[in-house]
Amino acid sequence: MAEGASQDLLLAAAFVSDAQYNRNIPFRTSPEAVRLYYLYNHWIMRTVTYFFIFLNLSLAVFEEPAVYPLPFLVTSLIEVLCLLVFFGRLTHFAKVTLRDVFWKDTKNICIMVAILLSLTDLAIYGVLRMYNMRSIRWSRIVRPIFLINFAESRQIRRAFRSIRNTLPEITYVFLLFMFSLLMFSLMALKLFGERNLQTAEGLPYFKNYLEIVFDLYVLVTTANSPDVMMPAFDFSSWYALFFIAFVIVNTYIFMSLFLAVVYNNYKKHLKNEIRKLAYMKHRKMIEAFNLLKEEEGAQFVVREACWKQLVKLVAPDISNSHRELLLCISDNEQKGFIDKKSFVQLADLLNIQVITLKIRSHPLGQWMPHVYKSAVSRFLRSMVRHRGFVWTYDVIILINAIFIALDEETPYISYAEWVFLALYIIEILLKVYTYEPRAFFGKNQFWNWFDTLIIFAALTATVLNTTLKSTTKYNSQQILDIVFILRVLRLIRIVDSIQRFRVIMNTLINIVPTMLTFGGLTLVVYCVFAIIGMELFHGKIQFFPASSNVPHALECGNPALKDSLFARGKYCKNNFNNFASSFIVLMELTVVNQWHVFANGFANVTVQPAKLYFIAFHIVMVIIIVKDELQHEQLLDNMESVEHDLEGEGGTKPQSKGLVFKIASKRYRTVDALLQRMFEAEIPLEDEGPSFEEILNLSPTAAIPSNLTLENTA
């Protein structure tokens, strides 16, 4: 009986943990499978998986064409090791999930196919290499599949799925835009093609229809405005009307319409994803409650002892005081049990970041009570706590900024640096004297750590630099650079002293996790396009130092670039000769400015259809992912307002002893977080919701269970 209760508790903890982290994996409920599921979700297993995923992606840095070449045997053995880890992870997943669910899951099939393709390509490439035959590692393009399709990357997968679902619905808008572009290009050919106009480089102006299409598409991105218009505008001012009309129709109307359709359809599919998460979370909490419930009068409840055991299993790292706080919230009437409504909220309570501040008396108050509690000491500590102390050091930082901008060769400026360092050290010592040191340097006191490390690093670098200059003729530019950087970094301290600055910075820090999805999407797209770019353009453009005597060094080693904007702009280092250079080029293309110069340059050294590569990257990365995802990750119109500073308001007397709990965040930082909370609020408590299988099969147009409508959650 006790063993059965223990198994139920373990299974219930798995359900609650899934609800807490929004995992929607339908796993087997046998005791062995539940233990394997715990192991599968252990942070070490996830970390190892991510390590090998990124190791596999980073092999492109060491494979031909390599930034840092390694022997083929080394890179192939590493790749085989990565594939074995992926296969082991997939096998582990097959052991914990239902068999029919596993084989119906597309992501599992994708991983198996990617492993098979990688091994096949590796074997073929190795054999051909033995016979000195050149081959292409075509399977490298499937490596990002592992980042997308493992269960750990559900946020990236969800974003890709939503983007994929929007594509069919924006096809008509895109086709209409292309029709407009082709029509304007035809008009431009007829208007300007027979005028014998020339560009600023002396090339024929609007003579070739396909070139016109490309130039006008670039104009949609505004990268070549107004250069593309100038030959026609110089010929006749009336021709400016053509380009004005083109920009209004295609840049302002069609691009806005295109983005609106993309975003609206993305939101529709996002709501479906969030709806699934909300129902899955609710369902799993109900399943956990049903496993642990006992009858109490006319209702079913979970006993306090059982609830405590459950929380220990789900969140073993939280302190006893934090656990007692959660119990007080769940059982606020201290009945000795938790009802269904309070139990279902446990996953949300566990997701609230609570900071436990243990208020201790200052060690000096124990070691030297007469000195520390004297009138002079109390006055000194009240002065440090006063807002005027912060304002004084704000003024000192501003004066320091002026001195940093002045010439250091002046002796007085050099001596002033020591004065400022001394003032900053005095500030830190006074704060440590006033506030309890362990609280002042607590793990949540980021700015205190930042101030202290910057000041003492600057002191160390300044002393080292001064010592070297006074004892030897050695003058290390590296040490000087470090000193200068640390001096400038000291100015960041003013952010901490101004409350609104601190609120903004805390908000930016808090949204970093939400931007990881965008980073994952970007990494996948960059990896795919970088590998394709290396296969298409490797070795076509070379970089040579300014003093090089190599023929065609000024044309990036390729005479086809003679007199081109690419060569005149000295863009030779922007090439696809290795993985790192490819990433830099793609980053520059993402910024959009001058992207047509890159496209024309690489088309000149290969073939003109190579421009399609750059157009495809612009559509995928700039239009669909960057603009769509950044709108999706937008902040709500509120920011963090809870501060964790030890100082408090000026002049406030601190609590002497005890525990203080502070909520690190009370806001929903992203649209999807708010949507999920709204969906959860609409689910009636007595409704256990659809089954796991029904939840997974929900579609954007499916009927919503429990009489919910999508409109009242928008």
Side-chain angles (χ1 to χ4, degrees):
M1 184 72 179
E3 184 179 351
S6 175
Q7 296 297 342
D8 287 344
L9 188 64
L10 202 63
L11 180 57
F15 282 133
V16 174
S17 180
D18 278 2
Q20 180 186 359
Y21 295 108
N22 276 329
R23 289 192 290 259
N24 57 356
I25 302 174
F27 59 90
R28 302 171 190 262
T29 56
S30 65
E32 181 184 359
V34 171
R35 288 186 173 85
L36 284 173
Y37 188 60
Y38 270 96
L39 179 62
Y40 182 86
N41 289 318
H42 197 278
W43 69 269
I44 293 179
M45 299 295 288
R46 295 200 306 270
T47 303
V48 168
T49 303
Y50 274 122
F51 171 78
F52 280 99
I53 288 173
F54 287 108
L55 178 62
N56 191 43
L57 290 174
S58 66
L59 284 176
V61 178
F62 307 101
E63 296 170 331
E64 296 180 359
V67 182
Y68 305 105
L70 286 177
F72 170 72
L73 181 61
V74 174
T75 57
S76 59
L77 288 176
I78 294 174
E79 184 171 6
V80 170
L81 176 62
C82 292
L83 295 176
L84 288 174
V85 171
F86 299 152
F87 182 74
R89 185 69 170 166
L90 191 64
T91 304
H92 191 169
F93 185 71
K95 292 287 186 181
V96 302
T97 193
L98 303 173
R99 179 174 298 178
D100 57 337
V101 173
F102 178 85
W103 289 108
K104 289 179 182 178
D105 197 335
T106 308
K107 65 177 181 292
N108 299 328
I109 306 301
C110 287
I111 292 173
M112 287 189 285
V113 171
I115 292 174
L116 183 61
L117 290 176
S118 298
L119 289 173
T120 303
D121 179 39
L122 189 62
I124 294 173
Y125 185 84
V127 171
L128 293 177
R129 187 182 176 88
M130 290 172 61
Y131 292 97
N132 296 321
M133 298 175 63
R134 188 182 181 279
S135 178
I136 296 175
R137 285 298 315 277
W138 46 266
S139 69
R140 294 195 296 177
I141 201 171
V142 305
R143 287 176 182 171
I145 287 177
F146 300 115
L147 177 61
I148 299 171
N149 285 287
F150 272 111
E152 291 80 1
S153 304
R154 60 183 180 277
Q155 294 286 352
I156 298 175
R157 192 162 53 252
R158 189 184 76 188
F160 264 116
R161 192 161 53 242
S162 297
I163 291 173
R164 181 195 64 199
N165 291 333
T166 65
L167 293 181
E169 301 177 47
I170 64 173
T171 301
Y172 291 107
V173 178
F174 184 74
L175 290 176
L176 192 58
F177 162 73
M178 289 303 301
F179 177 75
S180 172
L181 179 64
L182 295 173
M183 290 295 294
F184 271 96
S185 300
L186 187 59
M187 283 189 283
L189 178 65
K190 297 302 180 182
L191 282 174
F192 312 121
E194 304 299 328
R195 306 279 180 188
N196 294 321
L197 302 178
Q198 291 185 333
T199 65
E201 294 79 35
L203 301 175
Y205 180 71
F206 280 12
K207 286 280 191 180
N208 182 287
Y209 181 67
L210 293 179
E211 290 287 339
I212 296 171
V213 173
F214 176 74
D215 287 337
L216 290 184
Y217 180 82
V218 174
L219 181 58
V220 173
T221 70
T222 70
N224 61 353
S225 177
D227 297 353
V228 71
M229 181 185 76
M230 293 314 297
F233 187 47
D234 291 341
F235 184 80
S236 173
S237 299
W238 290 103
Y239 285 141
L241 296 176
F242 171 83
F243 293 95
I244 292 172
F246 176 84
V247 168
I248 291 174
V249 172
N250 292 280
T251 301
Y252 292 109
I253 296 178
F254 265 112
M255 280 295 101
S256 298
L257 179 63
F258 183 77
L259 292 176
V261 171
V262 170
Y263 186 55
N264 286 334
N265 282 284
Y266 183 92
K267 284 199 300 183
K268 181 179 74 174
H269 292 284
L270 174 65
K271 285 181 178 180
N272 183 52
E273 296 282 346
I274 297 301
R275 185 172 49 148
K276 288 181 181 180
L277 290 177
Y279 281 125
M280 185 68 77
K281 179 178 177 181
H282 181 78
R283 178 75 187 188
K284 292 206 171 188
M285 291 305 299
I286 294 296
E287 290 286 343
F289 179 82
N290 290 337
L291 285 168
L292 304 177
K293 66 183 180 182
E294 297 181 23
E295 193 169 357
E296 176 69 27
Q299 63 177 335
F300 287 100
V301 299
V302 175
R303 299 293 176 188
E304 180 180 315
C306 184
W307 185 92
K308 287 183 176 179
Q309 288 180 293
L310 176 70
V311 174
K312 280 185 179 179
L313 283 174
V314 177
D317 297 329
I318 66 174
S319 63
N320 290 330
S321 54
H322 186 178
R323 197 176 297 117
E324 290 297 326
L325 174 67
L326 296 180
L327 179 60
C328 290
I329 296 172
S330 300
D331 182 20
N332 56 356
E333 297 181 5
Q334 297 183 349
K335 298 176 182 178
F337 57 79
I338 290 85
D339 59 20
K340 188 176 183 179
K341 180 179 180 181
S342 299
F343 185 89
V344 170
Q345 295 174 347
L346 177 59
D348 290 325
L349 289 176
L350 291 171
N351 277 329
I352 297 175
Q353 184 183 356
V354 177
I355 298 174
T356 305
L357 298 178
K358 190 172 183 180
I359 309 300
R360 306 180 180 93
S361 59
H362 200 288
L364 292 178
Q366 300 173 7
W367 301 338
M368 300 181 296
H370 298 294
V371 176
Y372 192 73
K373 297 178 181 179
S374 64
V376 175
S377 176
R378 288 200 304 271
F379 172 77
L380 183 63
R381 284 183 280 139
S382 64
M383 182 186 70
V384 173
R385 288 195 183 96
H386 197 273
R387 195 65 187 167
F389 183 81
V390 177
W391 292 341
T392 301
Y393 269 90
D394 288 348
V395 174
I396 292 174
I397 292 172
L398 293 175
I399 296 173
N400 190 191
I402 297 172
F403 274 76
I404 289 174
L406 297 176
D407 186 8
E408 193 191 356
E409 297 300 323
T410 305
Y412 294 110
I413 303 298
S414 180
Y415 296 149
E417 175 62 23
W418 290 102
V419 175
F420 287 116
L421 276 174
L423 289 172
Y424 294 141
I425 292 171
I426 291 171
E427 178 197 18
I428 292 172
L429 293 176
L430 286 173
K431 285 183 176 181
V432 172
Y433 179 80
T434 302
Y435 306 108
E436 202 278 323
R438 284 172 293 183
F440 184 78
F441 291 113
K443 64 179 181 180
N444 296 303
Q445 300 299 329
F446 167 79
W447 290 108
N448 294 340
W449 280 102
F450 178 82
D451 289 352
T452 305
L453 291 175
I454 287 295
I455 295 307
F456 281 98
L459 177 63
T460 303
T462 304
V463 170
L464 181 60
N465 185 55
T466 304
T467 304
L468 289 174
K469 288 171 68 174
S470 61
T471 57
T472 66
K473 294 183 179 180
Y474 174 75
N475 187 9
S476 172
Q477 186 60 44
Q478 287 78 12
I479 294 179
L480 285 174
D481 291 342
I482 292 172
V483 171
F484 293 147
I485 290 172
L486 290 172
R487 287 177 185 172
V488 175
L489 285 177
R490 284 207 308 259
L491 304 182
I492 300 177
R493 297 174 68 251
I494 201 168
V495 173
D496 182 41
S497 61
I498 299 177
Q499 184 181 7
R500 293 307 300 173
F501 285 177
R502 191 163 59 243
V503 169
I504 294 170
M505 287 298 297
N506 288 338
T507 303
L508 293 176
I509 292 170
N510 286 331
I511 67 170
V512 168
T514 69
M515 295 301 294
L516 291 179
T517 301
F518 172 69
L521 292 172
T522 302
L523 178 62
V524 169
V525 174
Y526 273 33
C527 284
V528 171
F529 275 90
I531 291 169
I532 295 173
M534 287 191 294
E535 298 296 344
L536 292 176
F537 308 118
H538 172 251
K540 302 296 184 182
I541 291 175
Q542 302 288 338
F543 170 75
F544 301 97
S547 58
S548 175
N549 295 321
V550 175
H552 305 295
L554 296 178
E555 292 84 30
C556 308
N558 198 315
L561 292 175
K562 186 177 181 180
D563 297 328
S564 67
L565 286 175
F566 192 95
R568 289 210 301 268
K570 298 182 178 180
Y571 291 168
C572 303
K573 212 165 187 177
N574 297 305
N575 54 58
F576 288 90
N577 293 344
N578 58 57
F579 200 61
S581 296
S582 302
F583 258 63
I584 294 172
V585 172
L586 294 176
M587 183 65 220
E588 293 169 329
L589 292 174
T590 305
V591 177
V592 176
N593 191 34
Q594 297 289 77
W595 74 274
H596 62 293
V597 177
F598 287 75
N600 284 320
F602 284 98
N604 289 341
V605 299
T606 52
V607 291
Q608 289 303 310
K611 293 176 181 177
L612 295 175
Y613 169 88
F614 298 90
I615 294 174
F617 179 80
H618 179 266
I619 293 173
V620 172
M621 188 67 214
V622 178
I623 295 180
I624 295 179
I625 292 183
V626 171
K627 294 183 180 180
D628 188 58
E629 273 299 304
L630 288 183
Q631 289 184 70
H632 162 61
E633 297 292 353
Q634 64 182 305
L635 283 179
L636 302 180
D637 57 357
N638 53 53
M639 294 187 296
E640 298 297 333
S641 59
V642 181
E643 301 300 325
H644 320 301
D645 298 334
L646 294 168
E647 292 88 346
E649 298 298 325
T652 303
K653 185 176 180 179
Q655 183 177 331
S656 58
K657 281 188 177 183
L659 287 176
V660 174
F661 296 99
K662 288 190 177 182
I663 296 176
S665 174
K666 298 190 295 185
R667 310 286 181 139
Y668 301 104
R669 300 189 188 97
T670 56
V671 173
D672 57 342
L674 180 59
L675 278 174
Q676 182 171 344
R677 191 70 189 99
M678 292 169 67
F679 274 118
E680 291 168 4
E682 293 288 337
I683 302 175
L685 182 64
E686 63 276 4
D687 179 19
E688 297 194 358
S691 66
F692 289 135
E693 186 176 354
E694 290 172 333
I695 294 170
L696 292 174
N697 292 328
L698 282 176
S699 67
T701 56
I704 303 174
S706 306
N707 298 320
L708 294 180
T709 59
L710 209 56
E711 286 74 22
N712 62 19
T713 60

